[in-house]
């Protein structure tokens, strides 16, 4: 827990592209509002993730933002994870236990509480001691009734939700297997085993029992790449291929020069091939606008990569003095602006004309009559104070100079015609 940020989510996404479901108003009693439990967050990035998750969903007036709770206690985040895992283990089985369903079709999670309450209680009573055995301690608030109350509030906050049986099958070793891997001699789970056998068969039951508890982030799972220069640590999947001792980089523009310098800093012997003369800085690089930003980027992983890029420009020892951090004013449509409020860095807007001219007096903005109407169209202006720009040609020259000092060899007017691979390495023909 000290090295990782842990999130125990409590919201439902009922279809691709849909917004999170966290609150339901009872049809029978309009004053009865059912909310999902808090999404629990623990770790060094907890504040950032909480800000992301607790943003409004994009429609002004919504009160269905994900409610988060940052917890400092490792026991509390562990207890939250344990209860959520019990919910996940129970629900897909009881929803898809067709032999016990009234119409031979899967039922939703809230119907489990209405139609299978007795079976659910028996299953939780069977799983809870096993969970505490795995944790080597009692849950802080591990009373059966409290756990069932938690499970019901979560289930009823997502009306109509039916867990994916295909996903459950793929995850069975890490989900139900966490509990079923405890041998029958230690703790018997006859109801749990019978449900798995009935819903997905004996073969998957036996697979679930082979769960191996591997520490998250251990060397058997990931390789840690430290970047002291950027003050960041990256995790990657381990490779069976031994690290390269010599590398040829094709292209001496921004990407090629940066890759060459990074490899040289790790002790790799690097040669860079460039089809133009070395007085030039490539083709793409000098044509770039070099706007350093992360707004309106999709999908989310690409957006996160751009946020890390902003951080790298501010921390990289050889580059951090080059950017001009003047901020950016962006003109966008209503839809684009709404989707961008989930940013992980500062955003101000939409701006009125007075504020816009205060930031950039030379602008002559055109506002339609609907711009201040939340339901209207027209253009909208946003200010991103943490963004900037850089002269890409100057950045390449700095990177090349540093790379040469590290022993990198740059060869100009060399055009690569083909790359041919064998079983051991890559051979470059030019």
């Amino acid at each position: 827990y000290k090295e990782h940020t842990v999130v125990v989510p409590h919201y439902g996404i009922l279809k691709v592209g849909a917004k999170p479901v966290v609150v339901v108003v009872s049809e029978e009693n309009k004053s009865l509002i059912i909310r999902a439990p808090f999404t629990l967050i623990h770790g060094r990035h907890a504040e950032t993730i909480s800000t992301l998750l607790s943003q409004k969903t994009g429609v002004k007036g919504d009160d269905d933002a994900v409610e988060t709770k940052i917890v400092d206690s490792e026991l509390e985040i562990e207890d939250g994870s344990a209860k959520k895992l019990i919910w996940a283990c129970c629900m897909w089985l009881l929803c898809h236990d067709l032999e016990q369903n009234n119409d031979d079709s899967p039922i939703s999670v809230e119907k489990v509480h209405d139609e299978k309450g007795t079976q659910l209680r028996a299953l939780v009573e069977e799983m809870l001691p096993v969970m505490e055995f795995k944790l080597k301690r009692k849950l802080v608030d591990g009373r059966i009734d409290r756990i069932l109350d938690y499970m019901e509030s979560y289930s009823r906050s997502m009306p109509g939700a039916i867990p994916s049986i295909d996903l459950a099958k793929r995850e069975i070793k890490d989900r139900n297997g966490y509990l079923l891997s405890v041998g029958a001699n230690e703790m018997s789970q006859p109801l749990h085993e019978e449900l798995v056998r009935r819903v997905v068969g004996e073969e998957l039951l036996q697979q679930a029992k082979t769960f191996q508890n591997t520490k998250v982030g251990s060397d058997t799972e990931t390789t840690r790449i430290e970047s002291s220069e950027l003050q960041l640590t990256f995790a990657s999947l381990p490779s069976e291929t031994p690290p390269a001792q010599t590398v040829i980089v094709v292209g001496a523009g921004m990407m090629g020069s940066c890759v060459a310098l990074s490899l040289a800093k790790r002790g790799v012997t690097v040669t860079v091939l460039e089809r133009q003369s070395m007085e030039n800085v490539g083709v793409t690089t000098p044509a770039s606008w070099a706007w350093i930003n992360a707004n309106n980027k999709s999908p989310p992983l690409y957006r996160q990569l751009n946020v890390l890029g902003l951080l790298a420009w501010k921390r990289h020892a050889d580059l951090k003095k080059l950017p001009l951090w003047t901020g950016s004013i962006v003109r966008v449509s209503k839809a684009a602006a709404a989707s961008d409020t989930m940013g992980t860095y500062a955003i101000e807007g939409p701006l009125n004309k007075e504020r816009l001219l205060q930031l950039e007096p030379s602008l002559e903005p055109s506002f339609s009559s609907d711009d201040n109407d939340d339901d209207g169209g027209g253009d909208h202006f946003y200010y991103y104070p943490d963004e900037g720009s850089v002269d890409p040609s100057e950045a390449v020259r700095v990177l090349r100079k540093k790379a040469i000092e590290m022993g990198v060899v740059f060869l100009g007017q060399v055009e690569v015609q083909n790359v041919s691979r064998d079983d051991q390495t890559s051979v470059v023909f030019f």
Side-chain angles (χ1 to χ4, degrees):
Y1 291 131
K2 293 180 180 178
E3 297 181 358
H4 300 276
T5 300
V6 181
V7 180
V8 182
H10 289 112
Y11 54 87
I13 308 259
L14 302 186
K15 63 180 180 180
V16 176
K19 62 185 181 181
V21 177
V22 294
V23 60
V24 175
V25 178
S26 172
E27 293 184 1
E28 298 178 357
N29 181 0
K30 298 298 183 181
S31 64
L32 177 60
I33 299 176
I34 303 170
R35 296 199 66 95
F38 286 107
T39 287
L40 305 178
I41 312 172
H42 172 81
R44 58 179 178 174
H45 301 300
E47 290 284 354
T48 299
I49 293 177
S50 176
T51 300
L52 270 171
L53 291 177
S54 60
Q55 294 285 342
K56 297 298 183 183
T57 55
V59 180
K60 189 171 183 179
D62 277 359
D63 63 353
D64 55 352
V66 175
E67 288 193 316
T68 62
K69 179 183 178 183
I70 297 176
V71 298
D72 296 325
S73 165
E74 291 185 6
L75 287 181
E76 187 173 356
I77 198 71
E78 194 171 62
D79 280 11
S81 301
K83 292 191 292 184
K84 175 69 180 288
L85 183 59
I86 291 175
W87 181 92
C89 288
C90 291
M91 285 302 158
W92 77 273
L93 287 172
L94 294 175
C95 288
H96 292 277
D97 183 17
L98 302 185
E99 289 186 16
Q100 301 296 317
N101 294 350
N102 294 331
D103 57 358
D104 296 327
S105 60
I107 63 174
S108 61
V109 288
E110 78 268 24
K111 284 191 176 181
V112 168
H113 299 274
D114 296 332
E115 301 175 7
K116 298 184 177 182
T118 301
Q119 193 176 16
L120 175 61
R121 173 179 281 273
L123 193 55
V124 173
E125 288 175 343
E126 188 175 277
M127 289 181 177
L128 180 58
V130 183
M131 179 65 74
E132 294 179 333
F133 175 82
K134 295 281 287 188
L135 295 176
K136 298 182 173 61
R137 65 175 181 83
K138 295 284 188 180
L139 295 186
V140 175
D141 191 1
R143 290 172 291 172
I144 294 293
D145 287 339
R146 293 297 296 271
I147 292 176
L148 288 171
D149 288 344
Y150 150 80
M151 295 174 71
E152 185 170 5
S153 67
Y154 186 33
S155 297
R156 295 197 184 279
S157 72
M158 301 180 290
I162 300 176
S164 167
I165 191 171
D166 292 330
L167 180 62
K169 288 178 180 178
R170 293 196 297 270
E171 294 181 349
I172 193 165
K173 290 177 69 173
D174 294 322
R175 193 186 297 193
N176 297 73
Y178 182 77
L179 300 175
L180 288 171
S181 60
V182 176
N185 292 335
E186 296 168 309
M187 308 204 81
S188 178
Q189 302 172 70
L191 178 56
H192 190 182
E193 290 192 19
E194 177 55 30
L195 274 169
V196 173
R197 184 181 292 111
R198 196 158 66 217
V199 175
V200 293
E202 182 68 30
E203 182 178 351
L204 283 180
L205 172 61
Q206 295 307 317
Q207 287 183 25
K209 289 183 174 183
T210 63
F211 170 86
Q212 296 293 321
N213 190 12
T214 305
K215 182 181 178 182
V216 176
S218 68
D219 293 337
T220 59
E221 285 189 339
T222 61
T223 298
R224 295 166 62 86
I225 301 175
E226 300 284 349
S227 175
S228 57
E229 191 168 57
L230 301 182
Q231 303 169 44
L232 293 171
T233 301
F234 300 91
S236 68
L237 295 176
S239 173
E240 297 179 359
T241 306
Q245 299 302 310
T246 60
V247 169
I248 293 176
V249 177
V250 180
M254 186 71 192
M255 291 290 292
S257 299
C258 190
V259 167
L261 176 58
S262 297
L263 290 172
K265 288 181 175 181
R266 298 185 200 175
V268 179
T269 300
V270 183
T271 301
V272 182
L273 307 179
E274 171 57 50
R275 66 179 177 176
Q276 298 189 51
S277 69
M278 292 313 299
E279 285 80 27
N280 296 316
V281 291
V283 176
T284 303
T285 294
S288 171
W289 185 10
W291 175 21
I292 307 173
N293 77 95
N295 72 72
N296 282 307
K297 305 287 186 182
S298 62
L301 287 177
Y302 176 60
R303 181 191 186 88
Q304 292 166 19
L305 183 62
N306 279 265
V307 171
L308 285 175
L310 277 161
L311 190 62
W313 277 103
K314 293 178 178 180
R315 292 182 178 179
H316 196 287
D318 304 309
L319 299 176
K320 63 184 181 181
K321 295 181 180 180
L322 298 180
L324 297 174
W325 300 107
T326 57
S328 303
I329 295 173
V330 183
R331 177 179 176 178
V332 293
S333 68
K334 170 87 175 193
S339 67
D340 201 46
T341 58
M342 296 292 283
T344 53
Y345 59 107
I347 175 175
E348 179 185 343
L351 307 175
N352 58 32
K353 189 172 183 176
E354 180 182 3
R355 175 58 174 152
L356 187 58
L357 292 176
Q358 181 185 19
L359 291 167
E360 191 55 68
S362 61
L363 279 180
E364 295 182 2
S366 174
F367 286 89
S368 73
S369 60
D370 292 327
D371 279 342
N372 295 319
D373 183 350
D374 291 327
D375 296 321
D379 292 326
H380 295 256
F381 296 85
Y382 286 79
Y383 175 49
Y384 297 87
D386 295 334
E387 296 181 353
S389 62
V390 68
D391 180 341
S393 298
E394 179 62 21
V396 169
R397 293 187 185 99
V398 170
L399 289 170
R400 283 186 188 174
K401 181 177 183 295
K402 187 66 177 180
I404 291 171
E405 292 174 1
M406 298 289 296
V408 175
V409 176
F410 287 83
L411 300 178
Q413 296 182 316
V414 178
E415 186 168 357
V416 175
Q417 301 290 343
N418 185 38
V419 178
S420 178
R421 300 179 184 275
D422 60 26
D423 293 337
Q424 282 77 39
T425 186
S426 297
V427 181
V428 179
F429 296 93
F430 52 91

